[in-house]
Amino acid sequence: MIKATLIGFSAVVMWALLALFTAASGNVPPFLLSALSFSVAALLGLAARPFTPNDNAQPVPVTAWIVGIAGLFGYHFFYFTALRNAPAVEASLIAYLWPLLIVLGSALMPGERLGWHHIAGALMGLAGTFLIITKGGGFTYNSEFALGYAAAGACALFWSGYSLLSRRFQAVPTSIVTWYCAATAALSALCHLALETTIWPATLQEWLAVAGLGLLPVGAAFYAWDFGVKHGNIQVLGAASYAAPLLSTIVLILAGQAEATANIVAACLLITGGAALAAKNMILRQRSAAPAE
């Protein structure tokens, strides 16, 4: 379980590159960017198929297809809708309720047990995320942005629901994510044609940024996350997911696109401490299992 949890957490690390690569992709509209990057993610899965176990032994349940495609496409559809209809700070903060929803929702799953430290760790992570996104400011509800707030809430529900329900399909191999990505690319392309004006990447650097998105934060990350939530400790993964905005901010600081502040340090302490608290049992279990010197 520890190995699977670490693989799942590698997705959180890769998601830290999302903001940097997105900014480097230029003025490509969101749904077109989603279509392009998920196409690369699908090609990545196809390229890996010769090196993965045979996944044709059993038919994939229809419900698994629905959960997978709705999770990937639904999350991005509602996220883009939220950003179009509400300020980015408020939309991002509401959307980032999904790690907390995963931790709380895991208590309803067979074989899972929710402890006080899981909840406390997730709340510490949420507090750290609040500091990063609001930069120490506050959140004020404005009815003008109600549609955007609702879309951001749906975004959180779709991704937490996808992550939790995926655990019911542990027998379905992770290679199925290839087809989830392909379907998401196709649906994103349709949304682009219906809602956006086409603007292609203008330079080689922008094309490389799109490829980077498809290979890592919109590609390998989803394969790693699928494996992690199916076979790892889902409460720990949920709480540790709050590290994504922190790591993303650190990447932007290193790239010279953001500045280090006291809020970032405080957020680092909150998120790291929250993740460690949520993983308390797993860490203690690993120590007790280690052979004595």
Side-chain angles (χ1 to χ4, degrees):
M1 177 176 283
I2 293 177
K3 180 181 177 181
T5 304
L6 290 174
I7 291 174
F9 183 71
S10 73
V12 178
V13 176
M14 286 184 273
W15 286 331
L17 298 171
L18 185 62
L20 182 65
F21 283 163
T22 300
S25 65
N27 297 316
V28 182
F31 282 114
L32 177 57
L33 185 61
S34 177
L36 292 172
S37 54
F38 272 106
S39 294
V40 174
L43 291 174
L44 176 66
L46 290 173
R49 287 178 74 83
F51 309 100
T52 56
N54 180 22
D55 60 356
N56 296 318
Q58 298 179 357
V60 177
V62 174
T63 48
W65 287 103
I66 294 173
V67 168
I69 296 172
L72 266 65
F73 175 71
Y75 172 85
H76 290 86
F77 177 84
F78 284 111
Y79 185 70
F80 294 148
T81 301
L83 292 182
R84 287 173 180 270
N85 294 279
V89 169
E90 284 91 337
S92 297
L93 188 61
I94 295 172
Y96 234 91
L97 288 172
W98 65 261
L100 180 60
L101 294 177
I102 287 177
V103 173
L104 297 177
S106 65
L108 304 175
M109 301 179 66
E112 299 293 348
R113 186 177 179 181
L114 185 63
W116 68 268
H117 55 288
H118 294 128
I119 299 174
L123 289 174
M124 288 174 66
L126 180 61
T129 300
F130 186 89
L131 277 178
I132 292 173
I133 295 177
T134 64
K135 298 179 181 179
F139 176 91
T140 303
Y141 177 80
N142 189 332
S143 59
E144 178 186 354
F145 305 124
L147 176 60
Y149 296 154
C155 175
L157 288 172
F158 263 72
W159 191 251
S160 59
Y162 163 73
S163 300
L164 290 166
L165 291 173
S166 291
R167 200 167 179 87
R168 297 183 58 186
F169 304 106
Q170 292 181 336
V172 177
T174 291
S175 57
I176 195 65
V177 175
T178 300
W179 307 116
Y180 297 165
C181 290
T184 300
L187 292 170
S188 296
L190 292 175
C191 288
H192 165 66
L193 293 174
L195 302 171
E196 297 175 335
T197 300
T198 301
I199 302 176
W200 295 104
T203 65
L204 176 60
Q205 176 183 314
E206 292 181 1
W207 278 109
L208 289 175
V210 172
L213 280 169
L215 290 174
L216 291 172
V218 183
F222 289 115
Y223 295 92
W225 185 253
D226 179 85
F227 187 84
V229 296
K230 284 179 177 175
H231 307 289
N233 188 314
I234 197 165
Q235 290 106 345
V236 172
L237 281 175
S241 294
Y242 279 116
L246 172 63
L247 294 174
S248 179
T249 302
I250 291 174
V251 168
L252 292 174
I253 291 172
L254 294 176
Q257 298 186 24
E259 294 183 2
T261 65
N263 286 329
I264 298 300
V265 175
C268 180
L269 294 174
L270 281 168
I271 292 173
T272 304
L277 182 60
K280 174 178 70 71
N281 288 353
M282 191 173 71
I283 294 171
L284 293 176
R285 191 181 307 121
Q286 178 68 4
R287 284 184 176 178
S288 63
E293 294 286 340

